[in-house]
Amino acid sequence: MMEEEELEFVEELEAVLQLTPEVQLAIEQVFPSQDPLDRADFNAVEYINTLFPTEQSLANIDEVVNKIRLKIRRLDDNIRTVVRGQTNVGQDGRQALEEAQKAIQQLFGKIKDIKDKAEKSEQMPWLVVPRSI
């Protein structure tokens, strides 16, 4: 019964994780990789069989597990770095927007000052100075 539920779960998960061929091709073009784990047609059983082709090769299972753990740690670090970078980009964007809004407010203030000065100068009577002959 447990195996049946696990198989159902795996099938549901695979259905959710299936990418269209176009999306898969775009990913491969942007992030080319030779790692079998990155392949769309990744098969876990085949991968394990390549790691441990014989019973004797199971003797170095600890070494393989440690390499995989190291790879996981590196991936976690990369993900963390990207997430932090995206957070910083968002904060930088907000700060740039606030600075732009302040600059626009200052510009409107200067335009209003110029307009007020122009209106005052139009209201001033012109003073004519007589020429002496």
Side-chain angles (χ1 to χ4, degrees):
M1 185 69 171
M2 187 67 158
E3 283 182 28
E4 210 172 283
E5 290 175 2
E6 287 178 7
L7 184 60
E8 233 178 82
F9 174 73
V10 168
E11 288 173 355
E12 288 175 15
L13 188 60
E14 286 176 349
V16 171
L17 295 177
Q18 287 296 323
L19 302 175
T20 64
E22 296 84 15
V23 171
Q24 188 63 39
L25 181 62
I27 291 171
E28 289 171 7
Q29 288 174 346
V30 174
F31 300 108
S33 174
Q34 299 301 318
D35 192 334
L37 295 173
D38 293 333
R39 295 182 50 92
D41 60 349
F42 174 74
N43 182 321
V45 174
E46 287 177 16
Y47 182 70
I48 291 171
N49 286 336
T50 59
L51 292 175
F52 306 106
T54 64
E55 283 187 41
Q56 293 80 15
S57 62
L58 289 172
N60 68 350
I61 193 167
D62 290 335
E63 182 182 329
V64 173
V65 168
N66 287 333
K67 285 180 182 179
I68 291 173
R69 284 184 179 151
L70 179 62
K71 185 173 184 171
I72 290 170
R73 244 181 268 127
R74 286 183 186 149
L75 288 171
D76 285 344
D77 290 343
N78 288 343
I79 291 169
R80 197 174 302 111
T81 300
V82 169
V83 168
R84 285 181 184 153
Q86 290 299 314
T87 302
N88 292 341
V89 166
Q91 290 172 350
D92 292 346
R94 273 187 246 111
Q95 184 178 358
L97 178 62
E98 289 173 8
E99 290 173 6
Q101 288 173 336
K102 286 178 187 176
I104 290 170
Q105 287 174 348
Q106 290 174 348
L107 182 61
F108 276 124
K110 289 180 182 179
I111 291 171
K112 186 179 180 316
D113 288 346
I114 291 170
K115 186 177 176 184
D116 290 345
K117 287 179 184 177
E119 286 176 1
K120 284 182 185 177
S121 70
E122 286 176 5
Q123 292 173 1
M124 288 183 138
W126 286 96
L127 184 61
V128 179
V129 178
R131 282 199 218 158
S132 54
I133 304 185

